[in-house]
Amino acid sequence: MSKFAAAILLILLGAVASAQDAALRTLATGDDGKDWGAVGRLEIDGRGFCTGALIAPNKVLTAAHCLYDRKTGVMHDVSAVEFRAGWRNGRAEAYRSVRRAAVHPDYVFGQDELMSRSRSDLAILELHHPIRNSTIEPFETAGRLRKGSKIGVVSYAVGREAAPSFQETCRVMGRYRGVYVLSCDIDFGSSGAPVFLFEDNQVRIASVVAAKAELNGQKVALAAALDFALDEVEGEFAEKTIRAPLPTVKVSPQRNNTGAKFVRPNGG
């Protein structure tokens, strides 16, 4: 058994039983998606998409690997990345180009060790112009998740890229080296999706989807914890950032494939 499989197995064996996961629900109408307009599709250089969410009027939280070409390992030109808030059925509530990006200082694209890669798989995109819309409210972030925390995910994915899907209830199965193991239903395109914590009558982002994995036939989601790591990404704006000139041509809304990168570890 691989070290990864052994670690995950320990987490699964130690997981506390909880309520059954909710099914995915498509947010296909304006009424369905009215509380989730700050979640959007990230169009990546005409080659794919990921999911991202506003944490400030001009900042989008997502997964770092979304910014890299999966074949070459080279970072995309961030001027070719566009955030489409509340994207649904061919239209968005707001379109914004990216001014600059910062990734976690420890992130290395293509790193072999899955847990290390997932732990630092965080990026923040600064938009050229903030989104100030009464129907789009940025989400606050939360600290550490616990087993039994009430969580859910809003994401786009292959086969459901036209509108976001909401899984209102999934489980925190454990945490290992700054990575949460979740029962949430994700797929290609869900990279960067916000994992929401529902607590004290608040909805806050507590983690970001980094990868999906499979262990002995059971699908799990791996998500980067935000405590400590998010501050480190923010710190990168003062140092190593990738800037883009103000674009003069709008990115085409027609996209075909997803640039999301996931890994399926060996189960034994």
Side-chain angles (χ1 to χ4, degrees):
M1 178 181 291
S2 68
K3 291 182 179 179
F4 169 81
I8 298 299
L9 183 59
L10 288 174
I11 292 172
L12 295 179
L13 289 175
V16 177
S18 59
Q20 185 176 3
D21 294 352
L24 286 172
R25 175 165 60 90
T26 303
L27 306 177
T29 69
D31 286 341
D32 290 337
K34 65 180 180 180
D35 295 325
W36 309 105
V39 179
R41 257 178 56 163
L42 277 171
E43 302 299 320
I44 313 293
D45 199 18
R47 304 179 187 183
F49 69 91
C50 282
T51 305
L54 286 173
I55 56 172
N58 67 334
K59 289 183 178 179
V60 175
L61 180 63
T62 190
H65 76 253
C66 292
L67 302 180
Y68 292 81
D69 186 300
R70 60 181 176 177
K71 293 181 180 179
T72 67
V74 175
M75 180 175 280
H76 292 293
D77 180 352
V78 294
S79 66
V81 178
E82 184 180 56
F83 179 63
R84 298 179 176 180
W87 175 263
R88 186 174 57 252
N89 301 325
R91 297 184 63 183
E93 296 181 37
Y95 299 81
R96 291 294 188 273
S97 57
V98 175
R99 176 173 176 262
R100 59 177 182 162
V103 301
H104 192 282
D106 294 337
Y107 182 73
V108 178
F109 183 80
Q111 181 179 357
D112 288 337
E113 213 288 296
L114 177 62
M115 299 304 278
S116 295
R117 186 169 74 244
S118 297
R119 180 176 63 246
S120 57
D121 198 353
L122 289 170
I124 295 175
L125 310 181
E126 186 179 275
L127 306 177
H128 268 291
H129 302 289
I131 296 177
R132 302 194 185 281
N133 185 318
S134 60
T135 64
I136 301 176
E137 187 72 25
F139 292 102
E140 294 183 0
T141 57
R144 191 182 182 101
L145 290 173
R146 304 179 301 276
K147 288 181 182 178
S149 293
K150 179 173 172 52
I151 62 168
V153 176
V154 176
S155 68
Y156 297 84
V158 170
R160 46 186 177 88
E161 57 270 274
S165 292
F166 179 34
Q167 186 177 22
E168 187 172 2
T169 304
C170 48
R171 290 167 288 146
V172 180
M173 303 171 74
R175 173 169 165 150
Y176 181 76
R177 296 182 181 177
V179 179
Y180 292 114
V181 182
L182 310 173
S183 65
C184 308
D185 188 351
I186 64 167
D187 210 329
F188 296 100
S190 298
S191 292
V195 178
F196 290 106
L197 171 65
F198 304 102
E199 188 176 71
D200 300 326
N201 295 318
Q202 291 182 299
V203 179
R204 293 173 292 167
I205 300 174
S207 187
V208 169
V209 171
K212 69 175 182 178
E214 184 175 309
L215 179 66
N216 296 332
Q218 181 174 6
K219 293 181 180 179
V220 296
L222 305 182
L226 297 190
D227 50 334
F228 305 114
L230 185 59
D231 288 340
E232 293 179 349
V233 181
E234 289 275 14
E236 288 296 286
F237 274 120
E239 298 179 12
K240 299 174 289 185
T241 60
I242 300 91
R243 298 176 181 272
L246 182 64
T248 56
V249 179
K250 187 176 181 298
V251 179
S252 169
Q254 298 301 319
R255 307 294 181 199
N256 295 317
N257 301 314
T258 174
K261 181 180 177 64
F262 293 96
V263 178
R264 177 176 296 194
N266 293 326

Short mmCIF file of all heavy atoms in Angstrom, two decimals, residues 53-56 59-62 122-124 137-145 180 192-200 202-208 224-234:
data_model
loop_
_atom_site.label_atom_id
_atom_site.label_comp_id
_atom_site.label_asym_id
_atom_site.label_seq_id
_atom_site.Cartn_x
_atom_site.Cartn_y
_atom_site.Cartn_z
N ALA A 53 -14.19 31.74 -6.51
CA ALA A 53 -15.18 32.48 -5.72
C ALA A 53 -14.57 33.79 -5.22
O ALA A 53 -13.39 33.84 -4.86
CB ALA A 53 -15.66 31.65 -4.54
N LEU A 54 -15.38 34.82 -5.18
CA LEU A 54 -14.94 36.12 -4.70
C LEU A 54 -14.79 36.09 -3.17
O LEU A 54 -15.68 35.65 -2.45
CB LEU A 54 -15.97 37.19 -5.04
CG LEU A 54 -16.06 37.67 -6.50
CD1 LEU A 54 -17.25 38.60 -6.65
CD2 LEU A 54 -14.78 38.36 -6.94
N ILE A 55 -13.62 36.59 -2.71
CA ILE A 55 -13.43 36.79 -1.27
C ILE A 55 -13.26 38.28 -0.97
O ILE A 55 -13.09 38.66 0.19
CB ILE A 55 -12.23 35.98 -0.75
CG1 ILE A 55 -10.95 36.32 -1.52
CG2 ILE A 55 -12.53 34.48 -0.82
CD1 ILE A 55 -9.70 35.70 -0.91
N ALA A 56 -13.29 39.09 -1.99
CA ALA A 56 -13.28 40.55 -1.91
C ALA A 56 -13.82 41.02 -3.25
O ALA A 56 -13.84 40.25 -4.23
CB ALA A 56 -11.87 41.08 -1.66
N LYS A 59 -11.02 40.21 -5.67
CA LYS A 59 -10.16 39.04 -5.49
C LYS A 59 -10.95 37.74 -5.59
O LYS A 59 -12.00 37.60 -4.95
CB LYS A 59 -9.44 39.11 -4.14
CG LYS A 59 -8.36 40.18 -4.09
CD LYS A 59 -7.62 40.17 -2.76
CE LYS A 59 -6.51 41.22 -2.75
NZ LYS A 59 -5.80 41.24 -1.45
N VAL A 60 -10.40 36.81 -6.36
CA VAL A 60 -11.01 35.50 -6.56
C VAL A 60 -10.09 34.43 -6.00
O VAL A 60 -8.89 34.39 -6.30
CB VAL A 60 -11.25 35.24 -8.06
CG1 VAL A 60 -11.78 33.81 -8.28
CG2 VAL A 60 -12.22 36.25 -8.64
N LEU A 61 -10.64 33.56 -5.19
CA LEU A 61 -9.90 32.44 -4.61
C LEU A 61 -10.14 31.21 -5.47
O LEU A 61 -11.27 30.88 -5.81
CB LEU A 61 -10.37 32.19 -3.18
CG LEU A 61 -9.70 31.06 -2.40
CD1 LEU A 61 -8.22 31.33 -2.19
CD2 LEU A 61 -10.40 30.88 -1.04
N THR A 62 -9.04 30.50 -5.80
CA THR A 62 -9.16 29.31 -6.62
C THR A 62 -7.98 28.38 -6.34
O THR A 62 -7.20 28.61 -5.40
CB THR A 62 -9.24 29.68 -8.12
OG1 THR A 62 -9.58 28.50 -8.87
CG2 THR A 62 -7.93 30.25 -8.63
N LEU A 122 -3.28 26.66 -3.80
CA LEU A 122 -4.13 27.84 -3.60
C LEU A 122 -3.59 29.01 -4.41
O LEU A 122 -2.38 29.19 -4.53
CB LEU A 122 -4.15 28.25 -2.13
CG LEU A 122 -4.90 27.34 -1.15
CD1 LEU A 122 -4.60 27.78 0.28
CD2 LEU A 122 -6.40 27.38 -1.41
N ALA A 123 -4.50 29.79 -4.95
CA ALA A 123 -4.13 31.00 -5.68
C ALA A 123 -5.19 32.07 -5.47
O ALA A 123 -6.37 31.75 -5.24
CB ALA A 123 -3.96 30.72 -7.17
N ILE A 124 -4.77 33.31 -5.54
CA ILE A 124 -5.70 34.44 -5.50
C ILE A 124 -5.48 35.26 -6.77
O ILE A 124 -4.34 35.57 -7.14
CB ILE A 124 -5.46 35.32 -4.26
CG1 ILE A 124 -5.80 34.54 -2.99
CG2 ILE A 124 -6.34 36.58 -4.34
CD1 ILE A 124 -5.48 35.31 -1.72
N GLU A 137 -22.25 39.24 -3.51
CA GLU A 137 -21.61 39.58 -2.25
C GLU A 137 -20.43 38.64 -2.01
O GLU A 137 -20.60 37.42 -1.91
CB GLU A 137 -22.61 39.44 -1.11
CG GLU A 137 -22.11 39.93 0.23
CD GLU A 137 -22.02 41.44 0.32
OE1 GLU A 137 -22.76 42.12 -0.42
OE2 GLU A 137 -21.21 41.92 1.14
N PRO A 138 -19.19 39.16 -1.93
CA PRO A 138 -18.04 38.29 -1.67
C PRO A 138 -18.22 37.51 -0.37
O PRO A 138 -18.86 37.98 0.58
CB PRO A 138 -16.87 39.27 -1.57
CG PRO A 138 -17.31 40.47 -2.33
CD PRO A 138 -18.79 40.57 -2.10
N PHE A 139 -17.62 36.33 -0.33
CA PHE A 139 -17.71 35.49 0.86
C PHE A 139 -16.55 35.77 1.80
O PHE A 139 -15.42 36.01 1.36
CB PHE A 139 -17.70 34.01 0.48
CG PHE A 139 -18.93 33.57 -0.26
CD1 PHE A 139 -18.90 33.39 -1.64
CD2 PHE A 139 -20.11 33.31 0.42
CE1 PHE A 139 -20.03 32.97 -2.33
CE2 PHE A 139 -21.24 32.90 -0.26
CZ PHE A 139 -21.20 32.73 -1.64
N GLU A 140 -16.81 35.69 3.08
CA GLU A 140 -15.75 35.71 4.07
C GLU A 140 -15.13 34.32 4.15
O GLU A 140 -15.73 33.33 3.71
CB GLU A 140 -16.30 36.13 5.43
CG GLU A 140 -16.81 37.55 5.48
CD GLU A 140 -17.28 37.94 6.87
OE1 GLU A 140 -17.20 37.09 7.79
OE2 GLU A 140 -17.74 39.09 7.04
N THR A 141 -13.94 34.24 4.71
CA THR A 141 -13.28 32.95 4.88
C THR A 141 -13.33 32.53 6.34
O THR A 141 -13.50 33.36 7.24
CB THR A 141 -11.82 33.00 4.40
OG1 THR A 141 -11.11 34.03 5.10
CG2 THR A 141 -11.77 33.29 2.90
N ALA A 142 -13.17 31.24 6.56
CA ALA A 142 -13.27 30.67 7.91
C ALA A 142 -11.97 29.95 8.25
O ALA A 142 -11.12 29.71 7.39
CB ALA A 142 -14.44 29.70 7.99
N GLY A 143 -11.85 29.60 9.52
CA GLY A 143 -10.67 28.87 9.98
C GLY A 143 -10.80 27.37 9.78
O GLY A 143 -11.39 26.91 8.81
N ARG A 144 -10.32 26.65 10.71
CA ARG A 144 -10.21 25.20 10.59
C ARG A 144 -11.56 24.50 10.60
O ARG A 144 -12.45 24.84 11.39
CB ARG A 144 -9.34 24.68 11.74
CG ARG A 144 -8.92 23.23 11.64
CD ARG A 144 -8.11 22.86 12.87
NE ARG A 144 -7.64 21.48 12.80
CZ ARG A 144 -6.41 21.13 12.46
NH1 ARG A 144 -5.53 22.08 12.17
NH2 ARG A 144 -6.05 19.86 12.41
N LEU A 145 -11.71 23.51 9.73
CA LEU A 145 -12.88 22.64 9.76
C LEU A 145 -12.67 21.52 10.77
O LEU A 145 -11.53 21.12 11.05
CB LEU A 145 -13.12 22.02 8.38
CG LEU A 145 -13.60 22.95 7.26
CD1 LEU A 145 -13.61 22.19 5.94
CD2 LEU A 145 -14.98 23.51 7.57
N TYR A 180 -7.76 18.59 3.72
CA TYR A 180 -9.00 17.94 4.15
C TYR A 180 -9.36 16.83 3.18
O TYR A 180 -9.22 16.97 1.96
CB TYR A 180 -10.15 18.94 4.20
CG TYR A 180 -10.00 20.00 5.27
CD1 TYR A 180 -9.84 21.33 4.93
CD2 TYR A 180 -10.04 19.65 6.63
CE1 TYR A 180 -9.70 22.31 5.91
CE2 TYR A 180 -9.90 20.61 7.61
CZ TYR A 180 -9.73 21.94 7.24
OH TYR A 180 -9.59 22.89 8.22
N GLY A 192 -10.65 24.39 -7.58
CA GLY A 192 -10.80 25.76 -7.11
C GLY A 192 -12.14 26.06 -6.49
O GLY A 192 -12.36 27.16 -5.99
N ALA A 193 -13.05 25.09 -6.50
CA ALA A 193 -14.39 25.33 -5.95
C ALA A 193 -14.32 25.60 -4.46
O ALA A 193 -13.54 24.98 -3.73
CB ALA A 193 -15.29 24.12 -6.21
N PRO A 194 -15.15 26.52 -3.98
CA PRO A 194 -15.17 26.82 -2.54
C PRO A 194 -15.89 25.74 -1.75
O PRO A 194 -16.95 25.27 -2.15
CB PRO A 194 -15.93 28.15 -2.49
CG PRO A 194 -16.85 28.10 -3.68
CD PRO A 194 -16.08 27.36 -4.75
N VAL A 195 -15.28 25.36 -0.64
CA VAL A 195 -15.94 24.47 0.31
C VAL A 195 -16.49 25.36 1.42
O VAL A 195 -15.74 26.04 2.12
CB VAL A 195 -14.95 23.45 0.90
CG1 VAL A 195 -15.65 22.56 1.93
CG2 VAL A 195 -14.34 22.59 -0.23
N PHE A 196 -17.80 25.39 1.55
CA PHE A 196 -18.45 26.31 2.47
C PHE A 196 -18.69 25.67 3.83
O PHE A 196 -19.07 24.51 3.93
CB PHE A 196 -19.80 26.77 1.90
CG PHE A 196 -19.67 27.67 0.70
CD1 PHE A 196 -19.95 27.20 -0.57
CD2 PHE A 196 -19.26 28.98 0.85
CE1 PHE A 196 -19.83 28.02 -1.67
CE2 PHE A 196 -19.14 29.82 -0.24
CZ PHE A 196 -19.42 29.34 -1.51
N LEU A 197 -18.48 26.48 4.85
CA LEU A 197 -18.83 26.10 6.21
C LEU A 197 -20.11 26.84 6.58
O LEU A 197 -20.20 28.06 6.48
CB LEU A 197 -17.71 26.50 7.18
CG LEU A 197 -18.01 26.36 8.67
CD1 LEU A 197 -18.22 24.90 9.05
CD2 LEU A 197 -16.87 26.96 9.49
N PHE A 198 -21.13 26.08 7.00
CA PHE A 198 -22.40 26.65 7.44
C PHE A 198 -22.44 26.59 8.97
O PHE A 198 -22.62 25.51 9.55
CB PHE A 198 -23.57 25.87 6.85
CG PHE A 198 -23.54 25.78 5.35
CD1 PHE A 198 -23.12 24.62 4.71
CD2 PHE A 198 -23.91 26.87 4.57
CE1 PHE A 198 -23.08 24.54 3.33
CE2 PHE A 198 -23.88 26.80 3.19
CZ PHE A 198 -23.47 25.64 2.56
N GLU A 199 -22.24 27.73 9.59
CA GLU A 199 -22.11 27.76 11.04
C GLU A 199 -22.49 29.13 11.57
O GLU A 199 -22.14 30.15 10.97
CB GLU A 199 -20.66 27.42 11.42
CG GLU A 199 -20.40 27.21 12.89
CD GLU A 199 -18.96 26.79 13.13
OE1 GLU A 199 -18.05 27.63 12.97
OE2 GLU A 199 -18.74 25.61 13.48
N ASP A 200 -23.18 29.16 12.69
CA ASP A 200 -23.57 30.41 13.35
C ASP A 200 -24.31 31.35 12.39
O ASP A 200 -24.07 32.57 12.37
CB ASP A 200 -22.34 31.13 13.92
CG ASP A 200 -21.60 30.31 14.95
OD1 ASP A 200 -22.28 29.56 15.69
OD2 ASP A 200 -20.36 30.40 15.01
N GLN A 202 -23.93 31.79 9.37
CA GLN A 202 -23.03 32.37 8.39
C GLN A 202 -22.64 31.33 7.36
O GLN A 202 -22.63 30.13 7.63
CB GLN A 202 -21.76 32.91 9.06
CG GLN A 202 -21.96 34.12 9.94
CD GLN A 202 -20.65 34.60 10.51
OE1 GLN A 202 -19.96 33.89 11.24
NE2 GLN A 202 -20.27 35.82 10.17
N VAL A 203 -22.30 31.82 6.17
CA VAL A 203 -21.78 30.96 5.11
C VAL A 203 -20.40 31.50 4.74
O VAL A 203 -20.28 32.60 4.22
CB VAL A 203 -22.69 30.97 3.86
CG1 VAL A 203 -22.12 30.08 2.77
CG2 VAL A 203 -24.10 30.51 4.23
N ARG A 204 -19.36 30.72 5.04
CA ARG A 204 -18.00 31.18 4.80
C ARG A 204 -17.20 30.10 4.07
O ARG A 204 -17.51 28.91 4.18
CB ARG A 204 -17.31 31.51 6.13
CG ARG A 204 -17.91 32.72 6.85
CD ARG A 204 -17.29 32.89 8.22
NE ARG A 204 -17.66 31.81 9.12
CZ ARG A 204 -17.08 31.56 10.30
NH1 ARG A 204 -16.10 32.33 10.71
NH2 ARG A 204 -17.49 30.55 11.04
N ILE A 205 -16.18 30.52 3.34
CA ILE A 205 -15.33 29.56 2.63
C ILE A 205 -14.24 29.09 3.59
O ILE A 205 -13.50 29.89 4.15
CB ILE A 205 -14.68 30.21 1.39
CG1 ILE A 205 -15.76 30.69 0.42
CG2 ILE A 205 -13.75 29.20 0.71
CD1 ILE A 205 -15.19 31.46 -0.76
N ALA A 206 -14.15 27.78 3.76
CA ALA A 206 -13.17 27.21 4.69
C ALA A 206 -12.09 26.39 4.00
O ALA A 206 -11.10 26.02 4.62
CB ALA A 206 -13.88 26.35 5.72
N SER A 207 -12.28 26.13 2.71
CA SER A 207 -11.32 25.29 2.00
C SER A 207 -11.56 25.44 0.51
O SER A 207 -12.59 25.98 0.08
CB SER A 207 -11.49 23.83 2.44
OG SER A 207 -10.48 23.02 1.91
N VAL A 208 -10.60 24.94 -0.27
CA VAL A 208 -10.67 25.02 -1.74
C VAL A 208 -10.38 23.65 -2.33
O VAL A 208 -9.38 23.01 -1.97
CB VAL A 208 -9.68 26.06 -2.28
CG1 VAL A 208 -9.55 25.96 -3.79
CG2 VAL A 208 -10.10 27.47 -1.89
N ALA A 224 -7.57 22.06 0.01
CA ALA A 224 -6.54 22.78 0.75
C ALA A 224 -7.16 23.56 1.90
O ALA A 224 -8.12 24.31 1.71
CB ALA A 224 -5.81 23.74 -0.20
N ALA A 225 -6.62 23.39 3.09
CA ALA A 225 -7.08 24.14 4.26
C ALA A 225 -6.62 25.60 4.14
O ALA A 225 -5.53 25.88 3.64
CB ALA A 225 -6.51 23.52 5.53
N LEU A 226 -7.45 26.52 4.60
CA LEU A 226 -7.13 27.94 4.46
C LEU A 226 -6.39 28.52 5.66
O LEU A 226 -5.71 29.54 5.52
CB LEU A 226 -8.41 28.75 4.25
CG LEU A 226 -9.22 28.46 2.99
CD1 LEU A 226 -10.31 29.51 2.83
CD2 LEU A 226 -8.34 28.42 1.75
N ASP A 227 -6.50 27.90 6.82
CA ASP A 227 -5.82 28.48 7.98
C ASP A 227 -4.32 28.47 7.73
O ASP A 227 -3.74 27.48 7.33
CB ASP A 227 -6.18 27.72 9.26
CG ASP A 227 -6.01 26.21 9.15
OD1 ASP A 227 -6.09 25.67 8.03
OD2 ASP A 227 -5.81 25.57 10.18
N PHE A 228 -3.68 29.58 7.93
CA PHE A 228 -2.27 29.83 7.68
C PHE A 228 -1.95 29.95 6.19
O PHE A 228 -1.30 30.89 5.76
CB PHE A 228 -1.39 28.73 8.31
CG PHE A 228 -1.61 28.53 9.76
CD1 PHE A 228 -2.14 27.35 10.23
CD2 PHE A 228 -1.32 29.53 10.67
CE1 PHE A 228 -2.37 27.16 11.59
CE2 PHE A 228 -1.55 29.35 12.02
CZ PHE A 228 -2.07 28.17 12.49
N ALA A 229 -2.40 29.01 5.38
CA ALA A 229 -2.03 29.00 3.96
C ALA A 229 -2.56 30.22 3.21
O ALA A 229 -1.88 30.76 2.34
CB ALA A 229 -2.52 27.71 3.30
N LEU A 230 -3.76 30.67 3.53
CA LEU A 230 -4.34 31.80 2.81
C LEU A 230 -3.53 33.07 3.06
O LEU A 230 -3.28 33.86 2.13
CB LEU A 230 -5.79 32.01 3.23
CG LEU A 230 -6.55 33.09 2.46
CD1 LEU A 230 -6.59 32.77 0.96
CD2 LEU A 230 -7.97 33.22 2.99
N ASP A 231 -3.08 33.28 4.28
CA ASP A 231 -2.25 34.45 4.58
C ASP A 231 -0.95 34.42 3.79
O ASP A 231 -0.44 35.47 3.37
CB ASP A 231 -1.94 34.52 6.08
CG ASP A 231 -3.16 34.91 6.91
OD1 ASP A 231 -4.11 35.49 6.34
OD2 ASP A 231 -3.16 34.63 8.12
N GLU A 232 -0.42 33.24 3.58
CA GLU A 232 0.83 33.11 2.83
C GLU A 232 0.63 33.48 1.36
O GLU A 232 1.50 34.08 0.74
CB GLU A 232 1.39 31.70 2.96
CG GLU A 232 1.86 31.38 4.38
CD GLU A 232 2.39 29.97 4.52
OE1 GLU A 232 2.20 29.18 3.57
OE2 GLU A 232 2.99 29.66 5.56
N VAL A 233 -0.52 33.13 0.80
CA VAL A 233 -0.82 33.52 -0.58
C VAL A 233 -0.98 35.03 -0.67
O VAL A 233 -0.45 35.68 -1.58
CB VAL A 233 -2.08 32.81 -1.10
CG1 VAL A 233 -2.35 33.21 -2.56
CG2 VAL A 233 -1.93 31.30 -1.01
N GLU A 234 -1.72 35.60 0.27
CA GLU A 234 -1.90 37.06 0.29
C GLU A 234 -0.55 37.76 0.36
O GLU A 234 -0.34 38.81 -0.28
CB GLU A 234 -2.77 37.46 1.49
CG GLU A 234 -4.23 37.08 1.38
CD GLU A 234 -5.04 38.11 0.61
OE1 GLU A 234 -4.44 38.97 -0.05
OE2 GLU A 234 -6.28 38.04 0.68
#
